[in-house]
Amino acid sequence: MIRIANVTKAYNENAKPAVNDLSFQVNSGEIFVFLGPNGAGKSTTIKMLVGILAQDRGTIEVAGFDNLTDSLEMKKRIGYVSDEPEFYEKMTAIRYLNFIDDLFEVPAEVRKIRIEKYARMFEIEDKLGNEISSYSHGMKQKLGIIAALSHDPEVLILDEPMVGLDPKSSFLLKEALRAFCNEGKTVFFSTHVMDTAERVCDRVAIINQGCLIAMGSFAQLKANSGEQNATLEKLFLELTDKEEMPR
Amino acid sequence: MTHSAVIASLVKAYFSGSRIATSLGLPLAKKKRSKAMTFAGKIGLGILLAISFGYMAVMLGFNFYSYQVTGQSLLGTSSLGFFMALVIDFVILLVFSLFSTSGIFYRTKENQLLMTLPITKSDLMISRLIISYLSFFVMHLFVCLPAIVVLFFLPFSLSSLLGALIFLVLSPLVPEAISAFLVTLSIRIGWRKNSRKGGELAFSIILILAIILVYGLGMRMMYATLMEDSASIMPLIELATVAMKYLAPMTFLAKAAAGEMSIGFVWYLLIFAGVCILAELYIRKHFFYCVSVVQNGGGATRKSSHSVLYKAQSPIISLYRREWTNLLSSSGFAFELFGETFIPVILIVMYSAMGIIGQMSEQISMISSSPSFPAIITAALLFMAVMNMCSSTSISRQGKYFYLDRSLPCDSSTFVKAKLLFHMVFGFAPSCLYYAVCVAFFKISPLWLAWMIPMSFLAYLVSGACGLYFDYKSPMLDWKTAQQAVKQNKNGLLGMGMGLAYILVQGAAYYFLTSLISPILGIIATLVIGACSSMLFLDLAFKQASKAYSPA
Ligand SMILES: Nc1ncnc2c1ncn2[C@@H]1O[C@H](COP(=O)(O)OP(=O)(O)O)[C@@H](O)[C@H]1O
Ligand SMILES: [Mg+2]
């Protein structure tokens, strides 16, 4: 579960806030998609959720823990996939996975079962012994996802996870996310691709220039706009355009 | 655009375009520092730098001068000093450019973009060459200027002006061309990345030892000249003659600079041009091939994959192992830090070169039998302990990865403990070996070890904690090449400066208490000072780390 209330964050004191008075809640057992164009403030929001950035105002709670006062307990329950799959290039993939699981204190037998399962699913089980520098962008992305899933978090937070994945892998990822949710856990991921959002999400929040401009299930958004056969793409363009018009 | 404009903009892009752009360059903590403080800090740092570089440059100048004088009296040429400067400059530039050429030419991320732009191969190559020339020019000046100053002691001539100018402006091109050639060759013939690195490392260790040898021999010559004892250095003179014979091009340039211009100078120019042109042709031919090989993972990623083991370790050990991965991830880091740890070996070589002097005056036995000798050894080894940048660049070396650490479920103290553990294993463990060698070699009573080892432990702890404190305070995370994170990092200097202050305080306390009251009191005082300072700096480091790992 994620709860964000009136959160504002500016990178510099005088700059326009990257995230402006954002409030929403993500419930357990749902896949929540955070949709917005480039520079909308998605990564900034996510970095606040995982303990990299601190908000200037407002409160954030993940899995029942405050991100500023209880950050350690919070981080123990989060699986985070960063937007840049940058790893320690000189480590082998398995050492990286062991490293992450050591920090999350996952017992050896448990991590073995999970890593094998997900590595097989994403078809990199025979490459786990290779140095990460030999991985392609998509493979690194997969490795990041496996690392996040391997310590069985309560909340999975992914920043643009589909970037760089081939169609099959991105399908597999969606399946994995769905299975993860069905256990009553929470998935929160950002994307700028409407397609992705439309297919997998239970609910979606659309953000533009740091402000929330629409939220709800896809059906609700359609109903609100009054267009029965609109695609999310059309809605998205309409909504983000409206914001920009008055300028 | 003209070619020169293209080249100029490529060079500018390299030096200004930081490839770790805004996406992860997060604010570390909101800084509220007064301008005056920063300014004062900069001035202090500048003075510190100027003094240490000035000192080294003066030492180098003396060295060249002693070669020059010795050569004049024993070889009948004034060119020996300049010749030595040319050799040292060549070796230094070759070593350093060997380490960065592959970065500048092939490994840079820029290439992925540049290869797709309509830029001619030779423009791209020339821009890379200029970049490496500029990158090392300051280092070159450092060797070159003392040699040129020493020339002023000779009568002025047009030929010496020409020689000095060529040394100043053109000579760096030769080692840089050669190293670019060697790196290209090693990629071209498909040397595996690991053996390539091993080769680089072995080669540069040999070269560094050569520098030290030249340096030590210079001191030796200076001494002999002062004592007017030319007989004892005849073998050295013979060595110099042989070197001058085989390194003929350098000899010709040196002779020209010393006002002894000969027809051989034309040879120098021909060879110079030949080396540069050949290297240029070879690199041009294989440039794109090498870029693509390197960009596709070095053409050398190990085929055989490692076995897949599932092994649980404690967070501290796992983080500690990550420090090793980080250190070994770049030859730049490894070179800088291993170099520091093994400076003792280098010092031993130097001391033994000068030890001959000591033996002649039978001073070494006097010194080593004096009661303060163990204290001197301790001071020397403590000095080495604090002169390292292992911890004071530790956070900087992580670069942009550092921010991701904030999302890891560890307390800030866990990170600090892992880094300290690494510092102790990397620094303190080898130092114990050095102590053992000292005890055996100088026949010091092993009882001294009971004092030395705790002292060294505390010195490493203080320097580690204080280095971490500085680096957590303002890490340098947006570097482009690995060397920058270590070499151009002010935290390294701050850490060493503080360490130096620490052993000076300790030394002063020891000296006064020993001479005024009793040696036992001196020993106790040093240990107390060590314990207190390490507690103070550990506290500072832990506090600063907790700030750095909090979201900001
Ligand atoms: N480190 C930074 N420093 C200053 N501004 C930043 C930084 N990172 C992002 N921004 C700005 O914040 C805004 C939101 O960025 P971000 O959250 O990365 O967007 P996205 O939705 O594409 O992930 C953008 O206008 C961006 O320019
Ligand atoms: Mg983003």
Side-chain angles (χ1 to χ4, degrees), chain A residues 52 75 84 87-88 102 130, chain B residues 23 305 318 322 401 406:
Chain A
I52 295 179
K75 287 187 267 186
E84 290 176 40
F87 295 98
Y88 308 99
D102 282 342
N130 294 5
Chain B
S23 65
S305 84
S318 215
R322 183 182 71 165
Y401 295 135
R406 287 186 187 161

Side-chain angles (χ1 to χ4, degrees), chain B residues 107-242:
Chain B
R107 211 165 303 256
T108 166
K109 287 255 161 68
E110 272 182 321
N111 273 345
Q112 268 164 10
L113 174 67
L114 296 182
M115 300 264 289
T116 62
L117 298 179
I119 301 169
T120 66
K121 214 177 348 179
S122 66
D123 285 353
L124 195 54
M125 257 187 57
I126 293 173
S127 71
R128 303 297 101 175
L129 208 65
I130 293 178
I131 290 165
S132 73
Y133 181 83
L134 292 178
S135 305
F136 297 111
F137 196 69
V138 173
M139 202 180 291
H140 165 68
L141 281 185
F142 179 67
V143 181
C144 176
L145 289 182
I148 289 178
V149 169
V150 168
L151 277 188
F152 291 159
F153 290 94
L154 298 173
F156 175 80
S157 74
L158 220 58
S159 121
S160 57
L161 184 68
L162 186 66
L165 268 182
I166 289 181
F167 184 26
L168 185 66
V169 182
L170 288 184
S171 69
L173 286 175
V174 179
E176 275 149 23
I178 291 178
S179 81
F181 166 76
L182 287 177
V183 168
T184 309
L185 183 73
S186 74
I187 297 173
R188 181 63 247 206
I189 61 176
W191 242 13
R192 287 232 325 252
K193 200 164 31 183
N194 290 324
S195 46
R196 200 157 68 220
K197 263 195 198 148
E200 277 173 14
L201 203 67
F203 188 54
S204 40
I205 287 173
I206 293 171
L207 290 179
I208 289 173
L209 287 180
I211 296 178
I212 305 292
L213 210 66
V214 167
Y215 197 84
L217 294 180
M219 304 283 274
R220 180 80 186 79
M221 281 194 181
M222 187 154 70
Y223 183 81
T225 318
L226 286 177
M227 296 281 118
E228 296 181 349
D229 169 23
S230 58
S232 71
I233 52 168
M234 255 359 247
L236 294 183
I237 291 301
E238 268 161 36
L239 205 69
T241 323
V242 174

